[in-house]
Amino acid sequence: MIRVAVSGAAGRMGLEVLKAISAESDMEVVAAVDPRGAGTVYVDAHGEQVAMLPDLHAALMERSPDVLVDFTHPAQVEANVGLALAAGVDCVVGTTGVTLERYGELVSAAPQDTALFVAPNFAIGAVLMMHFAQLAARYMPAAEVIELHHDRKADAPSGTAMRTAQLIAEARTSAPKVPGRETEVAQGARGASVDGIPVHSVRLPGLVAHQEVLFGGQGQTLTIRHDSIDRTSFMPGVLLAVRKVGGLSGLVVGLENLLDD
Ligand code: NAD
């Protein structure tokens, strides 16, 4: 049995993670941590009651998990990961809005045999979207990203958009000048520049997590679009990472690194 602690357990993603883990036969939730939900009780897939705990450090000490899954907030995740790694607990992180450089620093301060797995997006369709975008960028270097999320998302651009832009920038052999930046009538109209690629963030109620990557070429465009219409889309990826993180070491970024060829 893989013993799992979940931080952010009372959040939109955390509740979904509790449900997904408790439905598996090879893993169990040993601690559900969230100051917002502290004192409440979650009933898992087997009808067992799981108390929501307020303090991660105490939960790590008392429940000795093998893995921490974190879906919290950019302002909280570094402290959570720091505590877990220091306690020898491997981490699976979905929280976005923290740079990979910062995660690298956390890992280099951690015990040698611990692992930190970070995925900007746990949905297989989003991983494929990024892969296809990387492929397209080699032949169609003029690209823009539009990401669309629910109105309570903390960070912008999304972690997925940041990663997509980085992958496109790495893959393309030329970086065409972005037209229209100097002549913006309203500031920001041409989007943020991430690794030289314009990224546009939309925030609206009703959305979950969506992204379009648009490529332009002579007389043609190519659009690659992914939609997470439900948070269950992320769960197979989270479960895979919980199963595999024990065999990793150091910082590993992206679900693609856990998939079989
Ligand atoms: P949410 O606001 O619904 O939930 C976050 C929860 O974290 C809240 O309940 C909050 O009380 C709790 N929290 C805050 N500080 C904490 C702490 N120190 N310890 C434990 N819990 C704490 O947010 P959400 O929609 O569930 O998203 C959470 C994060 O996951 C965001 O960064 C979001 O961008 C990211 N996300 C990632 C993926 C992915 O595939 N990687 C998918 C969806 C969302």
Side-chain angles (χ1 to χ4, degrees):
M1 275 299 221
I2 307 170
R3 296 169 60 78
V4 185
V6 179
S7 52
R12 285 175 289 263
M13 286 296 287
L15 283 170
E16 210 59 65
V17 171
L18 292 182
K19 207 186 304 176
I21 290 176
S22 65
E24 297 299 301
S25 56
D26 60 339
M27 58 184 80
E28 62 179 330
V29 176
V30 295
V33 184
D34 196 316
R36 187 172 62 162
T40 61
V41 164
Y42 167 74
V43 179
D44 74 12
H46 310 289
E48 300 284 332
Q49 294 197 338
V50 182
M52 204 70 80
L53 306 170
D55 179 49
L56 179 62
H57 184 253
L60 293 172
M61 294 302 114
E62 287 164 22
R63 307 290 166 93
S64 306
D66 302 310
V67 178
L68 173 72
V69 176
D70 188 287
F71 282 94
T72 56
H73 189 277
Q76 308 297 334
V77 60
E78 289 183 42
N80 288 352
V81 168
L83 283 174
L85 292 177
V89 176
D90 295 324
C91 295
V92 170
V93 172
T95 309
T96 53
V98 174
T99 64
L100 296 180
E101 289 73 25
R102 187 65 198 115
Y103 281 128
E105 287 166 17
L106 286 168
V107 162
S108 54
Q112 278 227 318
D113 49 350
T114 49
L116 168 56
F117 177 76
V118 180
N121 202 312
F122 280 95
I124 183 66
V127 174
L128 290 169
M129 168 188 64
M130 288 186 265
H131 179 68
F132 297 149
Q134 215 178 352
L135 194 61
R138 283 163 50 192
Y139 307 100
M140 299 180 79
E144 305 210 5
V145 176
I146 305 173
E147 57 96 343
L148 311 90
H149 281 81
H150 61 88
D151 56 335
R152 285 189 278 170
K153 184 167 177 56
D155 52 320
S158 70
T160 306
M162 298 284 291
R163 180 79 174 146
T164 307
Q166 184 195 1
L167 292 172
I168 290 172
E170 281 171 15
R172 62 187 185 179
T173 51
S174 65
K177 186 175 179 319
V178 174
R181 279 224 182 279
E182 291 80 18
T183 50
E184 279 182 343
V185 177
Q187 195 185 358
R190 294 291 294 115
S193 179
V194 181
D195 289 321
I197 288 126
V199 177
H200 312 266
S201 296
V202 178
R203 297 289 176 268
L204 284 173
L207 294 170
V208 179
H210 317 258
Q211 181 168 293
E212 277 186 11
V213 190
L214 297 93
F215 295 90
Q218 191 178 350
Q220 59 189 314
T221 64
L222 169 67
T223 302
I224 304 169
R225 180 174 174 119
H226 175 257
D227 296 273
S228 272
I229 53 175
D230 192 294
R231 288 183 178 82
T232 55
S233 60
F234 304 112
M235 293 308 119
V238 172
L239 296 175
L240 179 68
V242 167
R243 289 192 178 99
K244 293 217 165 176
V245 71
L248 305 176
S249 64
L251 175 64
V252 178
V253 180
L255 195 69
E256 61 277 16
N257 293 303
L258 305 186
L259 302 173
D260 297 329
D261 289 333

